[in-house]
Amino acid sequence: METVAMSNARYAEIEAPQAIADAFVDLTRNAHEVTLRFDGTLIHYPVSVMTVDRVLGRCLLDITGIGDLNRMLGADRWFVLHARQASAVMQTSAMRTVEVLQRSTRLGLRCELPGEITFLKRRSYFRAALGQGMRVAVVLRDSRGNEWRATLHDLSIGGCLLSLPADDVHGLEFGDVRYRARACFPNGETFEAASQLSHSHIDTDAQRAYIGVSFDIGLEKESRDVWFYVREVEREQARQASARPEMRPLAASRLFEADGDTPAV
C-alpha cells in the first residue's frame, strides 16, 4: 500500500510496515499534536516521537515530565497513539511498551510500531471543553490597552472559544488586529498568547457572545506549553464527568485547585 500523508486522503487505513514507518518519521518533525491514550482511560497524554527504527519496527517516544504516565506504565497496558493537525487526525492500532529509558532528566518509552494506522480528514484542532465548575478567567487586551473580560469555553493548541456578556463585545475587531489573551486558572497559574479573533456568535436567549480566538504561536516549546493546558482541561473534565472510578485519572489537575486569588470575570 502506498504512503498516505496526513494532509491528503479523507480516510485511509494503512497496514504496510514501511508506510507506517513513513508516517511515524513524519511525526518526528513536531508538526502535529501527538498524544498517547491508555486502554480503559479517557485521558490523552502529550508525547513526542523522537526516533523511528525501520529495521526493528520500533519507535522511541519522549514522555518526560508526565508523572501520571510513569505510574500507568507499571500496569503493562496497551495504548493508542493519536496525532492531530489542523485538518486531519491519525490513530494507531494497539501499541505496547518494549522498555522505559531514563537518561538524566529525560524519560523515554520504546515501543513497537502499530500494525495499522488510520487517517481521517477533519476540520480543526482537537478541543478540550470546560465542564461545569471549571471556570477560567480570560482577559483580552489590544495594543491600545483596552481590555475585555471573558471566561474560557474550550481550548485547543490552535486557539480557544471565549464567552462574555453580549453587551461587552463593543470594540472587538476581527481579522488582522492583534490581541494578547491571558488565561488565569483557579490555582492562580496563567498563560498568555498573541492572538487574533476569528469568528463570533451571539446567543440571544442567554445574551452571551462566543468569540473564537486563534493563537499566534509557532515555537515547539510554546506549542507544547499550550498543549499542557489542553491536556489538563481534558483530564479534569473526564475526572469530573466519569461515574466509574476506574475511568478517572490518577490525580486531579492542579490547575483547578482554587487558591482564592483567581480574579472574577
Side-chain angles (χ1 to χ4, degrees):
M1 186 178 294
E2 297 181 358
T3 301
V4 180
M6 279 195 70
S7 59
N8 293 331
R10 179 179 177 83
Y11 178 82
E13 294 181 352
I14 301 176
E15 298 178 348
Q18 287 306 311
I20 291 173
D22 287 342
F24 270 74
V25 168
D26 192 43
L27 296 182
T28 66
R29 300 186 175 96
N30 296 312
H32 311 77
E33 301 174 18
V34 183
T35 59
L36 176 157
R37 180 181 59 80
F38 281 100
D39 66 306
T41 68
L42 301 175
I43 307 307
H44 290 254
Y45 295 89
V47 299
S48 296
V49 180
M50 304 304 295
T51 61
V52 179
D53 188 326
R54 292 178 179 272
V55 176
L56 295 178
R58 296 178 177 180
C59 66
L60 177 64
L61 308 179
D62 185 345
I63 58 172
T64 303
I66 309 174
D68 289 1
L69 189 54
N70 300 341
R71 285 177 282 176
M72 298 287 275
L73 290 173
D76 191 30
R77 301 158 91 172
W78 60 264
F79 60 87
V80 172
L81 205 70
H82 298 256
R84 301 178 177 92
Q85 288 182 307
S87 59
V89 63
M90 183 192 95
Q91 178 176 314
T92 72
S93 57
M95 300 174 65
R96 288 192 180 274
T97 301
V98 174
E99 62 178 329
V100 180
L101 305 175
Q102 179 85 50
R103 293 181 180 177
S104 184
T105 60
R106 311 300 295 180
L107 187 64
L109 179 65
R110 195 181 305 281
C111 50
E112 301 283 351
L113 289 175
E116 180 181 284
I117 57 179
T118 58
F119 291 109
L120 178 65
K121 199 83 170 182
R122 56 178 290 156
R123 293 182 57 193
S124 60
Y125 289 103
F126 166 76
R127 290 184 174 271
L130 279 75
Q132 187 175 5
M134 296 171 61
R135 187 177 179 86
V136 176
V138 179
V139 176
L140 273 178
R141 182 180 295 109
D142 65 15
S143 60
R144 297 183 294 272
N146 299 315
E147 292 185 353
W148 293 262
R149 295 181 176 271
T151 54
L152 191 63
H153 186 77
D154 64 38
L155 179 66
S156 80
I157 193 173
C160 62
L161 185 66
L162 303 181
S163 169
L164 69 162
D167 293 339
D168 293 351
V169 299
H170 180 72
L172 287 173
E173 299 180 62
F174 294 80
D176 294 332
V177 179
R178 301 287 177 172
Y179 291 86
R180 294 291 299 180
R182 182 176 185 269
C184 184
F185 290 88
N187 71 337
E189 188 167 337
T190 64
F191 83 89
E192 287 194 32
S195 306
Q196 294 176 278
L197 307 187
S198 58
H199 63 277
S200 66
H201 168 70
I202 303 294
D203 183 335
T204 54
D205 293 333
Q207 282 300 296
R208 301 290 294 179
Y210 294 91
I211 307 296
V213 177
S214 297
F215 296 149
D216 183 13
I217 58 176
L219 298 178
E220 178 184 352
K221 180 184 182 303
E222 195 172 15
S223 295
R224 287 182 65 84
D225 287 347
V226 176
W227 181 241
F228 163 78
Y229 294 110
V230 175
R231 188 260 294 186
E232 290 296 291
V233 168
E234 182 185 22
R235 182 235 289 269
E236 185 64 14
Q237 167 66 352
R239 187 185 73 85
Q240 293 187 15
S242 178
R244 296 173 56 191
E246 65 271 21
M247 294 291 286
R248 294 184 180 183
L250 296 176
S253 169
R254 72 168 190 260
L255 297 179
F256 294 92
E257 298 174 350
D259 65 1
D261 295 328
T262 304
V265 174

